[in-house]
Amino acid sequence: MDQFKVTPLFGDGQIDWYTPTNVTLWMGLAVLAIIGLLVLSTSRRAIVPSRMQSIAELTYGFIYKMVEDICGKEGAKYFPYIMTLFMFIVTANFLGLLPYAFTTTSHIAVTAVMALAVFLGVTILGFVLHGVGFLGMFWVSSAPLPLRPVLAIIEIISYFVRPVSHSIRLAGNMMAGHAVIKVFAAFAPMITISVGVGLVVTPLSILAITAIYALETLVAFIQAYVFTILTCVYLKDALHPHH
């Protein structure tokens, strides 16, 4: 599990909140990659788009449609924040697949901050838009009256568990995937065949690592998508608490 260890960039001293670390470095690289994709590649806005401009435009349209479909027209004003979340997570996930890279989204400290920001944001927004009426989302009026208090307690508990599940799902999946790759990579030299005086790793071990790596490439996108779509669902609850 040494691949998930947070280390300072300079020296081996104590890590404080202001200490530049490998997490800081790869988060910064993710931001630079996003700027390169969304700002620099679209600065000329060619009628016949380049590959990078096409990716930026497709990503923009994909996330905008997601927000509009789930949250309605009222959710469009919050699109920039949701787009930022998606781009940071998906970029950090893919950067983490590079050799010797650090996957920042495998740390609960990173994902928890994003999940708490979403939780607090939608909760405050719900009270700002609806006042005390926002609490109506916990009262299941369609259920029989004796069951409503019980269901209200369950709804409240599930609401406050949201940031926990929201953050652990992303961090857990990224950490598990990278750990599996590391395990297969460690076993690869043990599965060998003799060739003369040397040893060669068998094609079977290489295929296994390649398959897991391909799966992790898919997971990197899916987990960013899941985090984003859950954010849209929570936002919809704040905009339309009685639906």
Side-chain angles (χ1 to χ4, degrees), residues 64-73 75 225 228-237 239-240:
Y64 189 89
K65 188 175 186 304
M66 180 195 301
V67 175
E68 194 174 57
D69 289 346
I70 297 175
C71 305
K73 296 292 184 180
Y225 173 78
T228 308
I229 202 169
L230 285 176
T231 301
C232 292
V233 171
Y234 299 157
L235 176 60
K236 185 193 73 170
D237 289 341
L239 296 174
H240 312 286

Side-chain angles (χ1 to χ4, degrees), residues 6-168:
V6 179
T7 57
L9 290 180
F10 310 103
D12 299 318
Q14 180 181 349
I15 297 178
D16 296 302
W17 65 268
Y18 52 83
T19 304
T21 64
N22 49 352
V23 180
T24 311
L25 172 64
W26 286 97
M27 289 178 69
L29 291 175
V31 172
L32 291 176
I34 294 170
I35 292 173
L37 175 63
L38 297 183
V39 179
L40 300 181
S41 65
T42 60
S43 58
R44 296 184 179 181
R45 299 181 185 178
I47 297 177
V48 180
S50 62
R51 292 181 181 179
M52 296 300 290
Q53 183 179 335
S54 297
I55 293 173
E57 291 176 353
L58 287 172
T59 304
Y60 183 98
F62 174 71
I63 301 300
Y64 189 89
K65 188 175 186 304
M66 180 195 301
V67 175
E68 194 174 57
D69 289 346
I70 297 175
C71 305
K73 296 292 184 180
E74 302 91 337
K77 65 175 69 174
Y78 308 103
F79 162 76
Y81 179 70
I82 296 174
M83 177 71 174
T84 302
L85 272 180
F86 175 80
M87 288 305 304
F88 175 78
I89 294 171
V90 76
T91 304
N93 288 353
F94 280 117
L95 284 178
L97 292 173
L98 298 176
Y100 300 103
F102 187 89
T103 311
T104 55
T105 46
S106 66
H107 273 254
I108 192 68
V110 175
T111 59
V113 169
M114 294 187 290
L116 282 173
V118 172
F119 176 77
L120 293 175
V122 298
T123 302
I124 294 171
L125 179 64
F127 279 108
V128 169
L129 294 178
H130 308 285
V132 181
F134 178 63
L135 297 175
M137 68 177 294
F138 303 116
W139 189 254
V140 186
S141 56
S142 60
L145 185 59
L147 290 178
R148 292 179 191 178
V150 177
L151 293 176
I153 295 174
I154 294 174
E155 289 292 328
I156 292 172
I157 293 174
S158 65
Y159 186 83
F160 282 96
V161 168
R162 282 180 176 183
V164 179
S165 61
H166 206 189
S167 57
I168 290 178

Side-chain angles (χ1 to χ4, degrees), residues 205-224:
S205 61
I206 297 176
L207 288 176
I209 296 172
T210 304
I212 296 296
Y213 196 90
L215 179 62
E216 279 307 295
T217 303
L218 181 62
V219 169
F221 173 80
I222 290 176
Q223 288 306 313

Side-chain angles (χ1 to χ4, degrees), residues 193-200:
I193 55 175
S194 298
V195 179
V197 294
L199 294 173
V200 178

